[in-house]
Amino acid sequence: MRLGWIAAGAVALVVVSGCSGDSADDPVTESAPVVADARDYVALGDSYAAGLGGGNYSDTSCLQSSDKSYPQLWIDAKGTDALGATVNKACSGAVISSVTSQQLTALTDRTGWVTLTVGGNDVGFVAGLQQCVLGSDQTCAQSVKNAAGTMASSLPDSLDKLYTQIRAKAPNAKVYVVGYPHLVADPGAGVTCDSLNDARRKALNAASDTLSEVISTVVAKHPGFTYVDGRVIFAGHEACTKDPWIHAIADDMSESFHPNADGYAAYAKVLHGVTG
């Protein structure tokens, strides 16, 4: 989840045509199309974009964190003077189709920046996690295998269509597709992670790799889109590490395997560096 266009004002083009002899036609003035002052920011996506796991939620449906989501932290770092209108349309549980139908209405030719995290729910990552936490090694492996199959079959086309629609609605925007991290510590090193033994963590992180590769491959096909790799941002800080930026099994189950406040701050720091 590479180039964009931000321009302001309009340019007047004056063409003067003359005739032979002593007379001349009046000047003909043609005005170039007005290019939008594209400084608005729109955040799109699922629970990772909404800030689930960060706490201090502003609503009970989409569970947007009012001050800890990476979109809000990016806005704080960017500064309101550099931005026009800002809106976070992200919603926990969102899939590609709901982003398309419910969130893209916020995009216009005045949109200068877009961030997006989506795709995990489309491939059944939640079901895979449930099987890996509650099921056997076999059911975990099979569930992850099923998710990987969806990633390879239908996800690329769905993402391609979504990115195309984003560009059509926000022609002047730079779009940053923010990827998912490895959710749990890598196998080995004596890590204890409840029921998530080495085999289960290996399967989950391999699926995260596949998801990241699929998303980044599609992103590369769309000019003006940049992929931000969550695996790199969270390396060494996955759930069950000594300094985790991702909740393991949380008291609030909805927050399990989502970033905590430190994780969202890390997302926003890297995003601010990429966007300038």
Side-chain angles (χ1 to χ4, degrees), residues 43-242:
L44 307 170
D46 57 21
S47 54
Y48 270 64
L52 179 59
N56 197 18
Y57 303 115
S58 59
D59 64 279
T60 58
S61 55
C62 287
L63 295 174
Q64 285 190 10
S65 176
S66 61
D67 57 356
K68 300 300 182 185
S69 68
Y70 76 72
Q72 184 57 51
L73 293 172
W74 181 83
I75 291 170
D76 295 342
K78 191 73 173 175
T80 54
D81 290 343
L83 301 171
T86 63
V87 60
N88 187 350
K89 297 289 287 185
C91 190
S92 297
V95 293
I96 292 171
S97 61
S98 61
V99 170
T100 301
S101 63
Q102 300 172 21
Q103 299 184 19
L104 299 192
T105 54
L107 301 175
T108 71
D109 62 352
R110 297 180 65 86
T111 305
W113 294 275
V114 174
T115 58
L116 167 69
T117 301
V118 75
N121 293 327
D122 293 82
V123 300
F125 228 73
V126 172
L129 275 168
Q130 290 175 339
Q131 287 298 326
C132 289
V133 171
L134 303 174
S136 64
D137 288 355
Q138 291 74 23
T139 58
C140 172
Q142 184 60 52
S143 183
V144 171
K145 182 179 179 181
N146 292 342
T150 303
M151 294 175 201
S153 59
S154 62
L155 186 61
D157 185 58
S158 296
L159 289 172
D160 184 67
K161 290 178 180 177
L162 173 62
Y163 299 163
T164 299
Q165 290 180 331
I166 289 173
R167 173 55 68 220
K169 291 179 177 293
N172 302 309
K174 296 179 180 179
V175 183
Y176 298 88
V177 179
V178 182
Y180 301 94
H182 281 174
L183 299 180
V184 290
D186 286 331
V191 174
T192 300
C193 199
D194 297 317
S195 60
L196 295 174
N197 57 30
D198 278 4
R200 301 184 192 198
R201 298 202 307 277
K202 181 178 180 180
L204 285 169
N205 287 344
S208 292
D209 286 335
T210 301
L211 181 59
S212 294
E213 289 159 9
V214 168
I215 295 174
S216 62
T217 298
V218 181
V219 166
K221 299 177 181 179
H222 290 262
F225 282 61
T226 299
Y227 181 67
V228 181
D229 196 334
R231 297 170 300 173
V232 176
I233 296 171
F234 282 77
H237 296 280
E238 301 86 354
C240 304
T241 57
K242 292 182 180 180

Side-chain angles (χ1 to χ4, degrees), residues 68 70 73 228 230 232-234 237 245 259-273:
K68 300 300 182 185
Y70 76 72
L73 293 172
V228 181
V232 176
I233 296 171
F234 282 77
H237 296 280
W245 294 348
N260 57 27
D262 289 337
Y264 286 118
Y267 262 140
K269 181 179 179 180
V270 171
L271 189 61
H272 183 59

